[in-house]
Amino acid sequence: MTPETILIGLAGVLAAAAPVMFAVMGETISERAGIINLSMNGTILLSAMGSFAVALATDSLALGFLAGAAIGALVSLIVAFASITLKISQVATGFILALLCRDLSYFLGNPIMGQTGPRLQSAPIPGLSDIPVLGKLFFSQDVMTYASFTIILLAWVYIYKTRPGLMLQGIGERPAAAFVRGASVNRLRYLYTIIGGALIGLAGPIYSLSVKAGWKGTISGLDGIGWIALSITIFGGWNPLRAAFGAYLFAILQWLGLVLQPVLPGIPSNVLQVAPFPLMILTLLLVNIGNAEWVERTLAGMPENTRRAVAKILRAMRATPPASLGVPFESD
Amino acid sequence: MQVELRHIHKHFGAVHASNDINLTIPAGSIQGILGENGAGKSTLMKALSGFIFADSGEILLDGKPVHIASPADAINHGVGMLHQDPLDFPPMKVIDNFILGRNGGLFPDRRTAAKEFKELAVQFDFSIDPDAYVDMLTVGERQQLEILRLLWLGARALILDEPTTGISLPQKEKLFATLKKLAAQGMTIIFVSHKLEDVEFLCNRVAVLRQGQLVGEMLPPFNVDKLVEMMFGKVVSFGGRYPLTPGASTLHLEHISLEDVRLQIRDVTLDVRAGEVIGLAGMEGSGQATFLQACAGLVRPVAGKLSIKGADVTGQTHHVFKHKGVAYLPAARLEQGLVPGLSLTEHFVLAEETHGIFINRDQAIRLAQDRIKTFNIKGTPVSTVESLSGGNQQRALLALLRTPLSLILLEHPTRGLDIESTMYIWSKLKERCAQDGAAIIFISADLDEVLQYSDRVLVFFTGKVSSPLDAEKVTVEQLGQLIGGKGWEAIHA
Ligand SMILES: Nc1ncnc2c1ncn2[C@@H]1O[C@H](COP(=O)(O)OP(=O)(O)OP(=O)(O)O)[C@@H](O)[C@H]1O
Ligand SMILES: [Mg+2]
């Protein structure tokens, strides 16, 4: 492998992670508000198919992406209505929607199977794309990949640095306390679930109009992405920067699975393809190790200064979910 | 700010929780609100702070009628409420908690806010680091944070619903000093409590509620006997000490050491005998909760031996402890002990040792009615636990205990209960000591309670544990010193 191919490979990793990134950011925002949107896997399939159909019919990429976001928003509206207004279990609703949307996408997508439609082209940024190494990596991508970089930062700044972002944390953490501070908890939960849903919906067209252009029904290879995105959200501890790290890690593992295949002929190719999944689980375990009782006990035995330092690191690494995740809110 | 309530009525179904309440509180005064559990104190305060709406009646602030639409609206009108369990965000930083809820630009200015926070804190001699996480603070400090926040938002009337139940003595003294200072500055303070001595010390006027009605007001000097009679509608006689006839060893700890992230407890040896009551005193987070959990098998000791009725149970699970007759009642009633959404009947059914899968409805309801009667719970078999007032939740929890038990472990068993309920709960507990030979270990922040009901007392200070002290020979003052870390040499001699 030459440095050149590695660079191209890594640039590909960044592009391949873009749809997952949108899904993860959308889910993070929704869960921060206290609503688990478990429909993600189906939503992505349905919006991939739907946006491809729209783009095919109108020959407009923009309308295609818009359709993807709209489908995501619509599905999340159902999630929001069921869990906020009807107070039905979010897990049950989300799960049913995940299955329903998936089957719907296969069924409705039959007529457009295998057709070729418009595809998003890469748009190198003049000037910046000529910078050695970085130019190839970051500035020779397509618009949605640039957008995926931006969304990470935007989400992070919004959640941690802005006033409404603090309130967003509040309504997922302790809605009663947020209510006392003037938040219309349920209205905000609707809003963030729908925004999150639209972002999740964008993951679909990024596949079907760019990364894996076209619609190939059950062999599109998109089934399962939503569940991965869900686990990355948890891995990311509901923090956009950590979640982004998780999404890139997963994309890199998948890429390594591909490039290592010819290098390591002894290992069956399926092993390399599946390896990213257990590796993700392992990372998840490592990240959350601070929660384990035996760690706490080992820690208690350490000298005071070491103990404090280690405890601080573990605390920073530890991911605790928003305390009211999945719990409906009723103001007295 | 002068606060006036006129003809306030509030019904919850058949319960008339506020019945034609008229009350005028002049600016700069500290108004005490007394009443037994379920008297309607919280209901009235919630109506004033925008949590619930009165069915009818008027609220006047500085003589002007106002409509308070929500808690946030209340604070806009200058009415702030401090809840017993501070309504804050534990995993977030102090400064973020402070800022949250204050209107302003998109990007809050944390540095200026931190500066203003510190300036306010200094005035009242509070020392809270704005960069600390709220879940590392004690309940007392979280209260202080809330007070500062409400002041920062411009509160001119402050409602405190049972603020002294979860905090230590020094923190209580600091809180009272703060409230007096605020009143002197013209703030109106409304102080809801069960503790007569707190009201006596702090308030310059008192109103008593009973069954939703305002039964009377009093100005100092307060006649305590009269107040108690107004609260309960009858004369309540205070119980004396219960004599102890200790039986066989129930719980035996030998050189037990415990560790958690914050502190270490070293080498405790203790023998608890049947019928005995051991009180654990100390400031919150001094190790007593960890100790109690170790006795329940919820925390594994790092060294030493623990046996129940002679059987070694070191390192066993809570389940094994339970089988040996150990019951553990945690402080967070609704979080750990009771299941919100389930009715009383369902709770009793769940707590019983059941045979078979199906629930016999009629039998269950009869059981529930029976228990409700014996434990004097104000509620019906179908009441959900969260609709009960605090005192009645505690009674329900007690009614859930199985018989027979050999060891009952209690965290703040009477927190938030009125005098009569407290005495009732303890009479029930002591009954179990006398009849079934149960031993009791309990934690309480109320030193009077510790001395009144225990036979021996263990004092905790940052993980240090005193040798068992004879409750009859210790005074409240001495205990207060010990939990503050003073005077330890004397008792170890
Ligand atoms: N949300 C509610 N639904 C039904 N009944 C309620 C509700 N809130 C209060 N009640 C009832 O109204 C009455 C007054 O309750 P409130 O909480 O005001 O009493 P309290 O004086 O604060 O008692 P405590 O000292 O135990 O806190 C009680 O009988 C209680 O059961
Ligand atoms: Mg109350």
Side-chain angles (χ1 to χ4, degrees):
Chain A
M1 256 195 312
T2 62
E4 186 67 9
T5 51
I6 292 181
L7 200 60
I8 291 173
L10 285 178
V13 164
L14 293 181
V20 177
M21 198 62 73
F22 271 90
V24 168
M25 293 305 144
E27 187 70 20
T28 298
I29 288 171
S30 180
E31 294 199 6
R32 272 287 180 183
I35 306 292
I36 311 167
N37 186 347
L38 214 58
S39 73
M40 196 151 45
N41 194 53
T43 307
I44 294 175
L45 280 161
L46 191 62
S47 71
M49 186 283 296
S51 57
F52 181 65
V54 168
L56 204 60
T58 60
D59 201 29
S60 157
L61 280 168
L63 285 180
F65 279 104
L66 214 62
I71 291 170
L74 212 66
V75 177
S76 67
L77 181 65
I78 302 176
V79 173
F81 181 70
S83 53
I84 300 169
T85 306
L86 302 180
K87 300 190 170 51
I88 303 172
S89 151
Q90 298 177 7
V91 173
T93 320
F95 209 75
I96 291 169
L97 281 173
L99 297 177
L100 185 73
C101 292
R102 185 185 66 175
D103 292 347
L104 212 58
S105 69
Y106 291 150
F107 172 68
L108 296 177
N110 256 332
I112 52 165
M113 266 247 284
Q115 297 197 29
T116 34
R119 178 172 189 166
L120 193 64
Q121 300 302 317
S122 63
I125 299 176
L128 291 177
S129 58
D130 299 331
I131 304 172
V133 183
L134 295 184
K136 262 260 152 9
L137 267 182
F138 296 108
F139 303 114
S140 308
Q141 306 277 10
D142 62 53
V143 180
M144 291 317 281
T145 310
Y146 297 138
S148 76
F149 302 152
T150 326
I151 191 85
I152 304 168
L153 281 177
L154 273 182
W156 185 80
V157 170
Y158 185 79
I159 293 175
Y160 293 103
K161 297 294 167 199
T162 71
R163 211 177 283 274
L166 276 180
M167 198 56 104
L168 165 61
Q169 293 182 47
I171 58 176
E173 194 55 50
R174 214 165 159 201
F179 173 66
V180 172
R181 286 162 171 78
S184 342
V185 174
N186 285 338
R187 228 190 284 166
L188 285 177
R189 282 188 162 177
Y190 259 100
L191 178 74
Y192 286 120
T193 312
I194 292 170
I195 291 176
L199 290 177
I200 294 168
L202 277 175
I206 301 179
Y207 279 120
S208 66
L209 301 178
S210 171
V211 178
K212 289 185 179 179
W215 176 252
K216 302 186 191 65
T218 46
I219 55 158
S220 299
L222 300 184
D223 197 1
I225 294 288
W227 301 118
I228 289 293
L230 198 69
S231 73
I232 292 175
T233 306
I234 299 167
F235 162 96
W238 298 269
N239 174 334
L241 292 186
R242 274 175 58 154
F245 175 74
Y248 285 131
L249 182 69
F250 183 71
I252 286 179
L253 289 175
Q254 277 196 315
W255 172 66
L256 283 180
L258 286 177
V259 294
L260 290 183
Q261 221 159 298
V263 189
L264 305 167
I267 301 176
S269 64
N270 334 18
V271 172
L272 285 172
Q273 271 162 25
V274 177
F277 296 88
L279 277 174
M280 279 307 283
I281 294 174
L282 200 71
T283 333
L284 208 83
L285 282 178
L286 276 177
V287 166
N288 289 298
I289 203 162
N291 293 350
E293 194 203 341
W294 63 267
V295 178
E296 294 213 346
R297 257 186 291 144
T298 326
L299 211 60
M302 292 180 182
E304 187 61 20
N305 281 339
T306 331
R307 189 181 68 84
R308 260 198 212 157
V310 178
K312 213 168 176 180
I313 296 172
L314 284 180
R315 191 192 161 110
M317 267 169 58
R318 176 146 78 183
T320 41
S324 296
L325 187 58
V327 187
F329 171 69
E330 273 169 282
S331 67
D332 252 331
Chain B
M1 180 164 70
Q2 173 162 310
V3 178
E4 241 177 298
L5 300 170
R6 280 196 198 156
H7 303 294
I8 302 283
H9 284 273
K10 177 71 192 178
H11 293 264
F12 289 111
V15 181
H16 206 161
S18 295
N19 186 352
D20 197 32
I21 306 282
N22 288 289
L23 189 63
T24 303
I25 308 163
S29 55
I30 306 183
Q31 169 81 55
I33 307 274
L34 284 171
E36 60 179 332
N37 289 128
K41 305 180 296 294
S42 297
T43 303
L44 193 62
M45 294 305 115
K46 284 182 184 166
L48 178 56
S49 57
F51 269 85
I52 56 175
F53 305 113
D55 299 337
S56 62
E58 248 190 333
I59 297 168
L60 286 83
L61 300 177
D62 278 337
K64 280 197 258 342
V66 291
H67 173 71
I68 295 176
S70 69
D73 193 32
I75 188 73
N76 288 338
H77 280 102
V79 178
M81 176 146 171
L82 186 73
H83 293 259
Q84 184 180 334
D85 181 18
L87 273 180
D88 51 18
F89 305 99
M92 290 163 71
K93 282 187 174 174
V94 167
I95 190 66
D96 289 346
N97 268 273
F98 189 62
I99 291 170
L100 237 172
R102 171 133 163 168
N103 296 328
L106 182 61
F107 293 96
D109 179 356
R110 280 191 173 74
R111 199 173 309 157
T112 315
K115 205 174 124 244
E116 290 178 22
F117 175 81
K118 281 185 189 150
E119 280 166 10
L120 265 175
V122 161
Q123 274 186 42
F124 302 104
D125 198 21
F126 297 161
S127 56
I128 306 173
D129 175 10
D131 284 319
Y133 287 90
V134 170
D135 54 12
M136 305 295 257
L137 304 183
T138 62
V139 177
E141 287 170 325
R142 287 166 62 186
Q143 261 181 7
Q144 296 171 357
L145 168 62
E146 275 292 283
I147 292 178
L148 294 180
R149 192 179 72 82
L150 292 171
L151 292 179
W152 195 50
L153 288 176
R156 284 176 296 141
L158 209 54
I159 305 169
L160 300 99
D161 195 352
E162 292 179 41
T164 59
T165 34
I167 62 177
S168 64
L169 199 62
Q171 279 173 338
K172 184 164 109 176
E173 280 163 4
K174 197 174 258 185
L175 176 70
F176 285 2
T178 306
L179 294 180
K180 287 196 161 172
K181 197 166 183 176
L182 285 171
Q185 292 171 5
M187 176 86 81
T188 306
I189 310 278
I190 307 179
F191 183 84
V192 180
S193 182
H194 294 295
K195 293 197 185 142
L196 282 166
E197 66 270 22
D198 287 357
V199 170
E200 211 183 337
F201 172 78
L202 186 70
C203 300
N204 40 34
R205 48 196 303 131
V206 170
V208 182
L209 297 182
R210 190 170 77 232
Q211 290 170 359
Q213 283 175 309
L214 185 75
V215 289
E217 291 186 68
M218 201 186 274
L219 295 172
F222 300 119
N223 177 342
V224 174
D225 291 338
K226 183 86 199 304
L227 282 176
V228 171
E229 203 186 318
M230 278 155 79
M231 284 166 72
F232 298 99
K234 62 182 180 211
V235 181
V236 177
S237 54
F238 295 91
R241 286 189 59 84
Y242 294 79
L244 165 72
T245 38
S249 165
T250 297
L251 173 75
H252 188 72
L253 306 178
E254 224 175 291
H255 304 295
I256 287 283
S257 291
L258 301 167
E259 277 169 357
D260 79 22
V261 182
R262 263 157 293 139
L263 44 83
Q264 313 182 337
I265 295 172
R266 290 262 167 264
D267 199 16
V268 181
T269 299
L270 177 71
D271 193 49
V272 185
R273 315 188 74 86
E276 194 180 22
V277 179
I278 306 267
L280 309 182
M283 287 197 216
E284 196 187 299
S286 299
Q288 63 274 53
T290 312
F291 180 82
L292 201 70
Q293 283 173 356
C295 296
L298 289 163
V299 167
R300 230 172 293 164
V302 288
K305 221 180 99 182
L306 199 154
S307 37
I308 295 170
K309 290 192 161 164
D312 186 356
V313 288
T314 319
Q316 302 283 1
T317 59
H318 178 54
H319 195 69
V320 174
F321 280 62
K322 252 166 126 173
H323 265 270
K324 298 257 177 232
V326 177
Y328 170 66
L329 262 58
R333 291 190 279 256
L334 273 179
E335 279 151 39
Q336 291 173 37
L338 298 171
V339 189
L342 291 192
S343 69
L344 279 174
T345 309
E346 284 160 332
H347 274 85
F348 292 127
V349 169
L350 284 177
E352 287 300 296
E353 289 272 12
T354 43
H355 308 282
I357 311 168
F358 297 105
I359 295 166
N360 181 339
R361 273 273 144 206
D362 296 337
Q363 199 185 326
I365 293 198
R366 244 177 294 128
L367 171 81
Q369 277 164 345
D370 192 45
R371 295 279 178 88
I372 286 171
K373 213 164 129 226
T374 356
F375 284 86
N376 209 354
I377 301 169
K378 281 186 197 137
T380 64
V382 292
S383 308
T384 54
V385 287
E386 67 268 28
S387 77
L388 301 178
S389 83
N392 286 306
Q393 284 177 7
Q394 191 70 357
R395 287 179 193 223
L397 208 50
L398 208 64
L400 286 173
L401 288 180
R402 279 186 215 152
T403 36
L405 284 171
S406 41
L407 179 63
I408 307 175
L409 306 167
L410 305 148
E411 249 179 28
H412 305 288
T414 63
R415 176 185 280 184
L417 299 200
D418 64 45
I419 314 163
E420 203 195 25
S421 300
T422 302
M423 282 167 40
Y424 182 81
I425 298 261
W426 273 110
S427 71
K428 283 280 168 198
L429 288 171
K430 288 284 186 175
E431 213 174 278
R432 304 199 76 148
C433 292
Q435 285 172 8
D436 339 337
I440 293 177
I441 304 181
F442 77 103
I443 298 177
S444 175
D446 185 343
L447 299 182
D448 290 312
E449 180 180 30
V450 170
L451 289 186
Q452 162 105 36
Y453 296 106
S454 2
D455 300 303
R456 288 187 292 164
V457 180
L458 291 185
V459 185
F460 287 72
F461 176 70
T462 60
K464 247 196 319 185
V465 187
S466 74
S467 47
L469 310 172
D470 186 340
E472 279 191 79
K473 293 193 185 125
V474 192
T475 63
V476 175
E477 289 71 33
Q478 201 181 353
L479 216 52
Q481 297 262 312
L482 287 171
I483 68 172
K486 290 182 217 115
W488 280 69
E489 312 75 29
I491 57 163
H492 277 300

